[in-house]
Amino acid sequence: MLVNTGDDFEHLGLHISPDLDTVMYTLAGIANPATGWGVVGETWNFMDQIDRLGGPTWFRLGDRDLATHAVRTERLKRGETLSAVTADLCRALGIRATVLPMTDDRLRTIVHSEEKRLAFQDYFVRMKCAVPVTKLSFDGEASARYNPALDQLNVKEPLAIIICPSNPYLSIDPILALPGLRDWIARSGAVVIAVSPIIGGAAVRGPAAKIMRELGLEPSAAAVGLHYGSLIDGFVVDDIDAAGTTEIAASGRPVLSTQTLMRDASDRIKLASDCLAFVQDLLRQRS
């Protein structure tokens, strides 16, 4: 599982990896379902004391969550890679899946709002996405290398790549911006499918639809599919968007319509099963 690190940043002397942490906490069964981030049953003594001392409180770090950042930061300062630290954190949390940072190098998402250049977390958390987005860029993309573990994969069966229904612009594009990654995908021979994060013209969570409008795009599942273009071999949309994807289907990329809104674990399992069945169908069409 390749995870975006474009929104990593340093805060209160700590290296924070928000997307990695959300994935780890979710797979470990300790994610906070109410917030969509952090640890369930969290306490806030650290933040209360930061507030009392006059420190920055706009980015909240729970007491249990804080332990993750402290361990990660200490080990990174010793010269260990983010991949190695992440692997050990996953083992400690009982996670069997392989969770890979997209890179061990520094790549940071920058949000442009007219003449302003905003660090991602300033835009996303401190400013609550309130300013218009006119462009997105990725500092470090020219020199950052995709995770070398990808070149060490020993795949015996045909490879499938599923682009999850994350924000295409904030969570997926930073990964695809890594030099050589698109070439790696092409060389892999993988069947690539993407799941739309837009349902009925709206994002389930986050500013994807808002950003699309601000960039002059219609917030629709079809627009997401066209954004991925020839990278994907198939596209997954919610049933209510099935009628609006004729342009994608006409380009030769099959479209699967199913329920993509995930309210609980059973919905997540069903969507995963539907995606795997879709991949199998595409593989059979290749043979």
Side-chain angles (χ1 to χ4, degrees):
M1 183 182 303
L2 201 63
V3 180
N4 170 46
T5 57
D7 57 0
D8 284 20
F9 77 126
E10 290 69 43
H11 185 61
L12 293 171
L14 300 170
H15 181 108
I16 316 293
S17 295
D19 283 6
L20 279 173
D21 294 338
T22 296
V23 169
M24 289 193 302
Y25 296 158
T26 300
L27 292 174
I30 60 173
N32 187 338
T35 60
W37 54 268
V39 181
V40 69
E42 189 61 276
T43 55
W44 302 96
N45 297 306
F46 174 76
M47 288 308 304
D48 290 344
Q49 189 68 2
I50 288 289
D51 188 32
R52 182 179 181 183
L53 296 174
T57 58
W58 61 270
F59 193 91
R60 293 180 61 76
L61 300 171
D63 299 331
R64 292 180 177 85
D65 186 35
L66 181 64
T68 300
H69 311 314
V71 169
R72 176 189 293 120
T73 302
E74 192 271 335
R75 292 184 57 179
L76 290 176
K77 286 182 176 178
R78 294 206 312 251
E80 298 185 52
T81 65
L82 184 58
S83 291
V85 176
T86 301
D88 284 349
L89 291 173
C90 286
R91 278 191 288 270
L93 292 171
I95 297 169
R96 292 180 293 175
T98 300
V99 179
L100 298 174
M102 67 181 192
T103 181
D104 285 323
D105 299 321
R106 187 184 186 280
L107 184 148
R108 297 292 181 265
T109 299
I110 302 298
V111 177
H112 299 254
S113 183
E114 301 298 345
E115 300 303 317
K116 296 179 181 177
R117 294 178 85 257
L118 303 170
F120 177 79
Q121 297 299 342
D122 278 347
Y123 164 77
F124 191 67
V125 179
R126 187 171 64 83
M127 303 179 76
K128 297 181 172 57
C129 309
V131 299
V133 175
T134 52
K135 188 176 75 169
L136 295 163
S137 63
F138 308 107
D139 276 5
E141 67 174 300
S143 57
R145 298 164 298 171
Y146 64 76
N147 197 305
L150 293 180
D151 289 326
Q152 300 165 12
L153 287 176
N154 182 17
V155 180
K156 297 179 180 179
E157 299 295 332
L159 181 65
I161 296 174
I162 299 175
I163 301 175
C164 295
S166 297
N167 188 311
Y169 309 94
L170 299 182
S171 297
I172 305 300
D173 280 358
I175 301 175
L176 297 175
L178 290 165
L181 185 60
R182 287 177 179 265
D183 290 338
W184 179 89
I185 293 172
R187 290 195 309 272
S188 74
V191 167
V192 183
I193 67 170
V195 183
S196 173
I198 301 294
I199 300 176
V204 176
R205 177 179 292 171
K210 174 180 179 290
I211 288 174
M212 293 177 77
R213 285 191 293 268
E214 291 166 352
L215 293 177
L217 302 169
E218 177 191 7
S220 67
V224 173
L226 294 173
H227 176 73
Y228 288 131
S230 60
L231 176 70
I232 61 174
D233 300 298
F235 192 48
V236 182
V237 302
D238 194 82
D239 287 325
I240 66 174
D241 292 311
T245 57
T246 54
E247 186 176 356
I248 298 172
S251 69
R253 292 186 290 277
V255 176
L256 170 70
S257 62
T258 186
Q259 178 184 318
T260 62
L261 181 61
M262 295 174 282
R263 301 180 181 87
D264 52 31
S266 63
D267 287 343
R268 291 191 285 273
I269 292 170
K270 182 181 183 303
L271 178 56
S273 298
D274 289 345
C275 287
L276 291 174
F278 188 36
V279 165
Q280 291 297 325
D281 287 342
L282 295 176
L283 286 171
R284 281 192 289 270
Q285 292 174 28
R286 281 188 176 182
S287 59

